[in-house]
Structures are given as C-alpha cells and as structure tokens.
Amino acid sequence: MFSKSISASILLFSVVGAFHVVRAAIDNDHRQQQLINEAANILAYEAGAKTSFEISRERYQPITDCMFVTSENGPFSYISPSDSDDVCGIYFLTDPDRTIEVHFESFDVPCDHHGLLAVVDGWELNGELFPSEGDHSLPIKERVTEFCGKSRWYRSKKIFTSSQNAALLQYRIPMRGKGFVVSARYPKNPRPCNVLSVSTTDPFTLRNYGRRINCTLIAIYPGIVQVIALGVGGTNLHGVSRMTETGTLHKCDTKSPQDQVQIGGSRNLDTTKLDVIDSICGIDSKPDIKESVPYDVTIVRLISSGYCDNSVTVAIRSIIDNDMLEIASGL
C-alpha cells in the first residue's frame, strides 16, 4: 500500500470515531465537518453527485472528497486538480451478504510521475486492515493490487473482487488532469464470513458452515451487543449433533477455546488485538445477553475448529449518549 496511506487513514479513523463517540471533541473546521458527513455514509448509505471524465457530465459522478464512502454503482470519475501527491481513497461498502466488484473503465495514471492505484480487499484504517490477516483466507500481500499506466475502456477492463462487503481503492495522482473512471457491482455472497456492519438495528448471523475459519462482525462505533441466538460447539469430533440446549456458557476461551464467540472491542481494525469482554459458547435459542463495548470499534468474533457447525446471531446498537457510555465503561 502507499507509504502515505497511514496518515490518510488516521484522519478517516479519527473522524469515524468522532462521529460515534459523543465525548470526542469536534471543532468547526470545514474540512473536518466535511469528512464527518462523509463518514456518516457508512450508516446512512448515501453517495455523491454527478461528474465527467472525458465523456458526458450526465453519466459520471465526480469524486471531490479525498475520503469518499459509497454504496452506489457509479460510475465515478476522478480528475486530479493539481500536482499534489496526496493519497486518497474510495471506501466501498455494501450489504452484509454481498461482495464488491471494482471495475476500472479507464485510467491514466502516469507511472513516471509516481502515480499509483491500489485496490485493497477490505478496509485499511490507521495502518491496519479489516479483515485482519488471521481472519482472511488470503495473505496480506495477495489482498493489495497496485498498478499505474494508461488504459481505455475499449481496450480492456480491470476487475477486482472483494471477499466481503468492504473494499478500498486508494490512489495517488500527482499530475493535473490525469485520473480514472471506476464503477462497482455488488454480487451476492452465499457464505458471508467477515462483515463490516452497516446497520445499528438489523441482526446478523455469523456462521462457519462447518469450516475451520474465524468470522468477524465489526462496527466502527462503541456498541451494545445483543446475542439473539447461539449455537456454538454443538457437534463432537465424530459429527454427532447435540440437540439439547446447554444455555449460554461463559469464559469459553478457557473451557472450549477452539469453538467460541468473543465479544469485545478495539481502538483499531485489527481484530486479533481486541480486548475480550466475554467469550461464550453453548446452545441457547433464547439467550439473555447484552454486553456494552465502550471502544472505538465493537467486535463479535466467531472462532471455529471445523468440527462444529457454529452460528451466532447478534445485533449491535450504538451507544448514543454520554450517560450510557459512562455506565458501559464503569466511570
């Protein structure tokens, strides 16, 4: 990824945190307010206006903000207004049960002026990736594709597909008048695993489908996690299902570390660094569990050995005021 991507990501991460954490100080700076409004698109599912890139103004939507969050198809166009070498990004986000296809219709990004495009399978904020390396089927080096040069739509199209409902296009175009046209599609994902939450109300089910895999749901705000249904560790090594409900078992990181649900939080996106508030397992069709997570990032992580068909259904509600946040953090 770009050497300057970390500083750009820190800015977006601090904005997302400021938008959701009530105690954060927000000044009247126009640029900061603009980014706060853009970060709100993560939950509001809104996108930009119209633009042009070598064709009609009615067809293309312009990218005018350095940090741009969208769930629309586009096509989007960006034309560099200056020779600045700032690193910017288009953060694609869609429904939990969909992936993202990023289509380059054309691009003119001179390599000899250190221009660069990079497509990231996931989101990068504060120098960290979601999904983390431990939760993704591909190593980090295979999740980032960098390129530059010149192409036109009638010659070829470059298409990149994400593994989950979040993807990122980073770009550095330090030459006025150069740029790209990109669009997105959002095909169905039959077995979603890692999910960036786009709702503060809708429940979501993490499931391993019998695979040895870690699946994570994150929300970029302090949240209250409600567990709606739990079925983790219900099959033994010989494939025999245990239908009797056990209720919700706690501290499963010591009792059953291979099959468990971790509920906790983090200051950044790396889910391997989460502070675990509770780890649960068992079979419970009507659990009565609510956990407050007073962190910048709320995390629910399903860890599966591959011997069990595990699932957990949760909803993450935002902690919306100071009183709730102070109660949740024990202040």
Side-chain angles (χ1 to χ4, degrees), residues 73-317:
N73 294 333
F76 307 99
S77 70
Y78 175 77
I79 301 176
S80 178
S82 68
D83 296 335
S84 170
D85 62 352
D86 289 342
V87 175
C88 296
I90 303 176
Y91 288 77
F92 294 98
L93 182 63
T94 186
D95 295 331
D97 60 347
R98 293 183 181 274
T99 60
I100 299 164
E101 287 184 355
V102 179
H103 296 244
F104 281 90
E105 300 187 12
S106 64
F107 58 90
D108 188 356
V109 180
C111 302
D112 55 359
H113 285 74
H114 305 290
L116 201 60
L117 297 169
V119 180
V120 182
D121 185 0
W123 272 24
E124 185 252 339
L125 298 173
N126 201 24
E128 296 184 349
L129 278 176
F130 173 77
S132 64
E133 188 171 17
D135 291 351
H136 203 283
S137 60
L138 297 174
I140 290 179
K141 64 180 181 179
E142 294 184 23
R143 293 169 56 190
V144 181
T145 303
E146 297 182 347
F147 59 97
C148 57
K150 189 173 184 178
S151 178
R152 291 289 182 263
W153 66 269
Y154 53 81
R155 292 180 183 172
S156 64
K157 281 191 176 184
K158 286 186 175 292
I159 301 175
F160 303 89
T161 304
S162 71
S163 304
Q164 62 289 310
N165 72 325
L168 168 63
L169 164 61
Q170 288 183 315
Y171 55 92
R172 179 180 63 221
I173 307 178
M175 190 171 182
R176 184 184 183 91
K178 302 298 183 180
F180 58 86
V181 173
V182 66
S183 61
R185 295 177 184 172
Y186 305 96
K188 279 284 189 178
N189 184 359
R191 292 186 175 185
C193 180
N194 296 299
V195 173
L196 198 159
S197 176
V198 296
S199 172
T200 58
T201 57
D202 295 336
F204 182 77
T205 300
L206 288 172
R207 187 171 183 178
N208 72 323
Y209 296 94
R211 297 171 294 175
R212 182 178 181 179
I213 194 171
N214 299 331
C215 295
T216 303
L217 171 67
I218 74 167
I220 311 182
Y221 50 81
I224 296 176
V225 177
Q226 179 182 4
V227 181
I228 299 172
L230 178 67
V232 176
T235 306
N236 64 22
L237 293 175
H238 302 288
V240 178
S241 287
R242 185 174 59 197
M243 302 304 294
T244 304
E245 293 207 1
T246 63
T248 300
L249 307 177
H250 297 269
K251 299 187 182 300
C252 293
D253 52 344
T254 58
K255 298 175 183 177
S256 179
Q258 290 186 320
D259 294 279
Q260 60 171 301
V261 177
Q262 295 178 335
I263 300 174
S266 174
R267 304 299 178 191
N268 297 299
L269 287 185
D270 189 347
T271 56
T272 62
K273 297 179 181 179
L274 85 158
D275 291 337
V276 179
I277 295 175
D278 196 4
S279 58
I280 60 176
C281 56
I283 301 174
D284 197 338
S285 59
K286 295 182 179 180
D288 183 21
I289 300 175
K290 287 185 180 180
E291 295 285 356
S292 297
V293 183
Y295 288 77
D296 294 336
V297 178
T298 302
I299 299 170
V300 178
R301 190 170 187 234
L302 175 63
I303 299 175
S304 300
S305 63
Y307 296 117
C308 306
D309 190 4
N310 294 326
S311 66
V312 60
T313 302
V314 299
I316 302 177
R317 180 165 57 89

